[in-house]
Amino acid sequence: MTRRLLTFPCEGEILVGTLDEGSGSTGLLIVTGGNEVRAGAHRGMALLAARLAGRGTPVFRFDRRGVGDSSGSNTGFRGAREDLLAAAAAFRAQAPHVTHLVGFGNCDGATALAWWGREAGCDSVVLANPWAVEPTDALPPPAAIRAHYAARLRDPAAWVGIMRRGLSLPKLLRGLRSIAAPAGDDGLTAHTIASIAQWSAEATIVLAQEDGTAIAYADAARRAGISPRTVTVETGSHSFARTGDAEALETAIRQVLNAPE
């Protein structure tokens, strides 16, 4: 397996990417979430790429503008359309034997793929913990708060802790207000849910069971009445960093990579 660093242009800036070479005709384009560099949290994306390439899958990762080694200003995932399209084009140029492209992203990287993956030439996508609901008042989305309180109420140890330490009334009131307040939506939720629905059978969702972002997405998808193929990993780690998480995530991705074209 050979790993190569390369650069490619995007809107007058220079982006840096990493290609883990493989002989297979199905390639994986990884889009990191948040402001993570292409190696991913805990180097998770770099390690994933090495394992997949070791079995023949070419894998391409990149830093969008203003992140990591790439030049330019960081405008967040909402401004990353051109970055994604440029990365996909660079991948195909560097690995011309790739005829089938799978996109994989976590968090708002998943959202970017849901929005623009088709334009980038992706044939299918694996979307982990899609960012679909903006938090308000520095609190998690209401669905995540409801899930948290429900889990606490089912846990006898939590009741013991409440009896010993008392209940934080201000914190409780903030949480209850968030649950009761009408869902604010700047268009993110509707756009993301509609985009995922348009992928139909070509989208696989991977959710970290106890992660707030994943819980918020699942609630939004249920309310919208969409049910794409979904794999749930029993973890609270947003970046799938706990024992066994990486293997579960990789298994879900491999199923898509190995699916008939």
Side-chain angles (χ1 to χ4, degrees):
M1 188 270 290
T2 300
R3 172 170 288 175
R4 289 196 287 127
L5 297 180
L6 53 97
T7 60
F8 54 98
C10 176
E11 298 287 293
E13 302 295 343
I14 299 297
L15 305 190
V16 178
T18 301
L19 173 62
D20 288 75
E21 296 182 328
S23 59
S25 61
T26 297
L28 184 70
L29 175 64
I30 295 180
V31 182
T32 53
N35 294 319
E36 289 177 4
V37 298
R38 62 189 183 277
H42 316 286
R43 296 188 66 248
M45 297 301 101
L47 295 172
L48 172 66
R51 291 192 298 269
L52 292 174
R55 296 193 178 188
T57 299
V59 183
F60 190 84
R61 299 171 284 119
F62 67 99
D63 292 337
R64 70 166 185 256
R65 283 170 290 175
V67 175
D69 295 319
S70 295
S71 68
S73 299
N74 180 5
T75 59
F77 80 97
R78 295 175 188 268
R81 174 183 175 274
E82 288 75 17
D83 305 70
L84 176 57
L85 270 58
F91 188 8
R92 290 188 182 277
Q94 294 293 324
H97 60 288
V98 170
T99 59
H100 188 86
L101 185 60
V102 177
F104 163 62
N106 187 31
C107 194
D108 60 35
T111 304
L113 274 170
W115 289 4
W116 304 304
R118 289 284 191 201
E119 289 184 72
C122 293
D123 298 286
S124 56
V125 288
V126 180
L127 309 177
N129 305 322
W131 183 261
V133 180
E134 293 280 15
T136 58
D137 300 326
L139 289 172
I145 294 175
R146 288 195 296 270
H148 170 75
Y149 279 124
R152 294 276 289 173
L153 291 173
R154 290 193 299 267
D155 183 5
W159 286 101
V160 173
I162 289 172
M163 295 297 292
R164 287 177 177 173
R165 297 188 299 271
L167 185 65
S168 172
L169 187 58
K171 185 176 180 180
L172 175 61
L173 289 175
R174 286 198 304 272
L176 292 175
R177 279 197 299 268
S178 176
I179 293 172
D185 184 8
D186 60 358
L188 171 66
T189 302
H191 188 186
T192 302
I193 294 299
S195 297
I196 291 174
Q198 289 177 0
W199 282 94
S200 187
E202 284 74 46
T204 296
I205 310 298
V206 182
L207 299 180
Q209 187 173 36
E210 300 170 17
D211 173 63
T213 301
I215 292 169
Y217 159 77
D219 182 68
R222 178 184 60 79
R223 291 173 183 272
I226 70 166
S227 53
R229 178 176 178 269
T230 300
V231 177
T232 301
V233 180
E234 294 184 4
T235 182
S237 173
H238 181 71
S239 56
F240 301 94
R242 295 181 182 173
T243 302
D245 290 359
E247 181 179 358
L249 177 62
E250 184 176 339
T251 297
I253 294 172
R254 284 188 188 282
Q255 289 176 346
V256 177
L257 292 172
N258 296 330
E261 298 180 10

